[in-house]
């Protein structure tokens, strides 16, 4: 087993708004080292760092939009989001919950701050990921996994060092809550100051971390403060994380799909032809209908 | 100018030398617009042909009751100009507004004329663009007079496949000459027909 080293620690880029409810720093695909291929199959990461939204009678958010060809994963750290889709589904993602939406052949949906939460306002902090699907699954039937925080399996770190939530994949023999189309690990580390944890993933698994709270040190060397993104090299398997403060860290490690990516707006397919079909299907109502 | 879409647009369509591209670009100006800003307003004179490098523009008029009418959208690699103002020296009846942050290349009429004189291939291509523009305007008149709103909507999405995701529906309705409620109904009817759960 060889050591996996840090390739880059990236600071958050200037935030932009998605709709009027999500003030996000985009980490993937921001070009250069973090294009859609680098973290394959994680092709997009938007991070709403902790931000106070004032009370609003009219919930802020993003209106109706389609997706095809991938999954969206929303991890709520603070605040509440309500969503609705064209097949009549909907729900609320609360603090600590994860929503894993397989858009696959096509979903129309909208996402807003939950009505009552919006009226009170408060700190809002979330991550949204796009997880690509292999060609054979891109046109499969859409589905949801609404994962409540209490149903996420946990590993308790030695010496009262905190806990590790296994959203997907596996850690120390404990399997995660979500089912995935390709092999991947998605962990939420909640480490007490000075706690340490070690990890080992195959070297070809693309691996990265996002520091949500506090700060950490990787391999007793590279330090990453709050809201920073750590891209790991593919030069080995093992690495360690030490919390230099009480810390929350989202850790992603996934087997690359290695297929061509044709992406435009909310559609991610393998070829340009499939992209054109996606636009045509959306324009002609094949994604269904949803009131704004 | 080497890195601009206008250059690759020209070199991929016209038999043109680097010097000739430079002749055209020497007098071009680059204009960056924020969303909502104008490059032309009603009453002003239009002095340029605008090439949309990036972003999205719309051309619209406002009637006596204050209602907007969208004449056309111009996304990346489209040209936009008010020919009545540019070639007939009349104050413009139109507004050219950025719907997204946009980068425009402002091309002077004189540069186009000069290039047309020395490069037959460019002249031919420019004519082809003009004929295509007239063809589209002709189709649009015919459709507004004779087609159903649904047919006009279907032609709109064929012409501009990704605009439904970039333009507020109220502007799409204006382009189609229908109310936003009618547009919603058309889209709902299509979904009822075509959506398979």
């Amino acid at each position: 087993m060889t050591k996996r080293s840090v390739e880059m620690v990236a600071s958050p880029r200037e935030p932009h708004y998605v709709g009027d409810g999500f003030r996000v720093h985009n980490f993937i695909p921001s070009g250069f080292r973090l294009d859609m291929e680098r973290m394959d199959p994680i092709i997009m990461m938007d991070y709403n760092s902790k931000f106070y939204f004032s009370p609003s009678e009219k919930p802020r958010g993003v209106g109706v939009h389609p997706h095809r060809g991938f999954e969206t994963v929303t991890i709520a750290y603070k605040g509440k989001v309500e969503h609705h889709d064209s097949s009549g589904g909907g729900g609320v993602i609360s603090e600590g919950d994860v929503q894993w939406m397989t858009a696959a052949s096509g979903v129309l949906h909208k996402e807003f701050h939950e009505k009552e939460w919006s009226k009170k306002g408060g700190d809002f902090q979330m991550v949204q990921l796009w997880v690509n699907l292999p060609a054979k699954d891109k046109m499969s039937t859409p589905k949801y996994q609404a994962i409540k925080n209490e149903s996420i399996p946990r590993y308790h770190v030695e010496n009262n060092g905190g806990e590790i939530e296994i959203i997907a994949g596996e850690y120390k023999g404990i399997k995660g809550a979500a089912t995935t189309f390709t092999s991947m690990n998605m962990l939420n580390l909640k480490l007490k100051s000075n706690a340490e944890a070690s990890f080992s993933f195959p070297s070809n698994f693309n691996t990265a971390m996002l520091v949500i709270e506090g700060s950490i040190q990787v391999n007793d060397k590279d330090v990453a403060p709050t809201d920073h993104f750590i891209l790991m090299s593919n030069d080995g398997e093992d690495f360690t994380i030490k919390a230099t403060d009480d810390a929350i860290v989202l850790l992603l490690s996934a087997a690359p799909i290695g297929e061509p990516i044709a992406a435009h707006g909310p559609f991610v397919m393998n070829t340009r032809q499939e992209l054109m079909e996606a636009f045509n299907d959306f324009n002609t109502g094949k994604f269904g209908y949803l009131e704004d | 100018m080497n890195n601009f879409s206008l250059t690759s647009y020209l070199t991929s369509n016209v038999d043109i030398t680097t010097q000739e591209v430079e002749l055209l670009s020497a007098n071009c100006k680059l204009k960056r617009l924020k969303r909502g800003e104008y490059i032309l307003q009603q009453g002003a004179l239009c002095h340029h042909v605008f090439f949309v490098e990036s972003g999205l523009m719309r051309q619209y008029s406002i009637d006596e009751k204050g209602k907007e009418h969208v004449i056309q959208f111009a996304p990346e690699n489209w040209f936009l100009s008010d020919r009545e103002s540019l070639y007939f020296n009349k104050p413009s009846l139109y507004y050219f507004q950025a719907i997204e942050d946009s980068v425009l290349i402002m091309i002077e009429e004189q540069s186009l004329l000069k290039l047309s004189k020395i490069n037959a291939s460019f002249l031919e291509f420019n004519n082809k663009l003009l004929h295509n523009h007239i063809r589209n305007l002709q189709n649009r008149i015919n459709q507004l007079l004779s087609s159903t709103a649904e047919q006009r909507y279907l032609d709109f999405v064929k012409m501009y496949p990704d605009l439904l995701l970039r333009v507020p529906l109220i502007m799409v309705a204006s382009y189609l000459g229908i109310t936003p409620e009618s547009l919603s109904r058309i889209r709902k009817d299509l979904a009822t027909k075509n959506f398979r759960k």
Side-chain angles (χ1 to χ4, degrees), chain A residues 10-260:
Chain A
S11 47
R13 292 152 63 94
E14 277 297 299
H16 68 273
Y17 273 88
V18 179
D20 63 357
F22 303 90
R23 180 185 174 273
V24 302
H25 311 275
N26 178 265
F27 281 105
I28 307 168
S30 56
F32 189 44
R33 281 196 232 178
L34 283 167
D35 56 15
M36 280 194 167
E37 278 80 15
R38 178 59 187 88
M39 273 299 291
D40 174 16
I42 312 290
I43 49 177
M44 203 284 300
M45 177 192 270
D46 267 349
Y47 172 47
N48 191 132
S49 59
K50 197 190 288 175
F51 183 78
Y52 175 77
F53 279 98
S54 59
S56 171
E57 283 298 313
K58 188 172 175 285
R60 300 179 180 94
V62 200
V64 178
H65 58 281
H67 290 299
R68 173 182 279 182
F70 58 96
E71 304 180 288
T72 64
V73 179
T74 307
I75 305 159
Y77 290 97
K78 293 208 176 298
K80 280 185 182 184
V81 168
E82 200 174 333
H83 68 98
H84 297 278
D85 74 68
S86 48
S87 54
V92 174
I93 314 165
S94 300
E95 279 185 25
D97 297 348
V98 175
Q99 188 212 47
W100 201 296
M101 182 182 86
T102 306
S105 66
V107 160
L108 269 189
H109 77 156
K110 53 184 178 182
E111 301 149 285
F112 284 90
H113 295 172
E114 193 268 334
K115 215 169 151 191
E116 293 308 314
W117 186 88
S118 180
K119 282 181 190 168
K120 285 189 213 131
D123 282 339
F124 192 84
Q125 190 175 25
M126 299 210 177
V127 171
Q128 188 170 78
L129 305 168
W130 289 5
V131 177
N132 206 3
L133 289 171
K136 68 176 175 53
D137 298 313
K138 279 189 181 291
M139 292 302 279
S140 60
T141 311
K143 64 170 185 181
Y144 283 104
Q145 299 176 71
I147 304 165
K148 289 278 168 206
N149 187 265
E150 53 271 23
S151 71
I152 300 175
R154 287 160 161 79
Y155 171 82
H156 294 279
V157 180
E158 296 77 14
N159 307 319
N160 259 339
E163 59 181 22
I164 293 175
E165 297 174 347
I166 302 124
I167 300 170
E170 190 176 331
Y171 183 67
K172 306 257 189 203
I174 303 173
K175 292 221 182 325
T179 58
T180 59
F181 285 80
T182 55
S183 193
M184 77 179 65
N185 303 284
M186 191 176 293
L187 310 174
N188 215 10
L189 324 180
K190 296 179 170 170
L191 301 176
K192 299 265 174 62
S193 187
N194 284 317
E196 281 189 42
S198 60
F199 302 89
S200 183
F201 305 111
S203 60
N204 71 315
F205 275 40
N206 291 323
T207 303
M209 287 169 277
L210 177 66
V211 184
I212 307 286
E213 296 274 353
S215 58
I216 59 169
Q217 191 172 24
V218 184
N219 293 335
D220 292 321
K221 201 169 134 208
D222 305 87
V223 176
T226 311
D227 299 341
H228 281 58
F229 180 94
I230 306 148
L231 176 65
M232 300 299 288
S233 290
N234 292 74
D235 57 354
E237 294 93 25
D238 303 344
F239 60 101
T240 57
I241 294 174
K242 184 181 174 186
T244 47
D245 211 341
D246 284 358
I248 300 178
V249 179
L250 176 65
L251 191 161
L252 309 164
S253 184
I257 295 173
E259 291 174 349

Side-chain angles (χ1 to χ4, degrees), chain B residues 14-15 21 44 55 59 64 69 93 99 103 114 119 140 149 168 191:
Chain B
V14 182
D15 185 9
V21 172
Q59 173 185 2
E64 286 170 355
H69 302 277
L93 300 174
I99 301 178
V103 177
K114 260 189 225 162
N119 185 323
R140 202 152 142 62

Side-chain angles (χ1 to χ4, degrees), chain A residues 64-66 86-88 106 264 266-267 276 279-280 282-289 291-292, chain B residues 153-154 157-158 160-166 169 184-185 187-188 190-192 194-197:
Chain A
V64 178
H65 58 281
S86 48
S87 54
H264 190 105
F267 307 124
M276 297 303 287
F279 275 106
N280 189 49
F282 166 66
N283 288 331
T284 55
K286 288 187 184 157
F287 283 61
Y289 184 81
E291 284 297 338
D292 246 317
Chain B
Y153 168 81
L154 290 172
V157 295
K158 206 165 156 196
Y160 300 108
D162 71 339
L163 279 206
L164 219 47
L165 290 168
R166 298 169 66 180
L169 290 177
S184 289
R185 200 176 53 243
R187 296 182 69 219
K188 214 171 181 170
L190 280 168
T192 311
N194 294 332
F195 182 43
R196 282 186 295 270
K197 276 190 190 179

Side-chain angles (χ1 to χ4, degrees), chain B residues 50-69:
Chain B
F50 304 101
F51 179 81
V52 183
E53 268 289 314
S54 65
L56 173 62
M57 301 290 297
R58 68 164 173 149
Q59 173 185 2
Y60 69 96
S61 62
I62 298 182
D63 68 20
E64 286 170 355
K65 291 177 187 155
K67 195 176 163 203
E68 290 180 4
H69 302 277

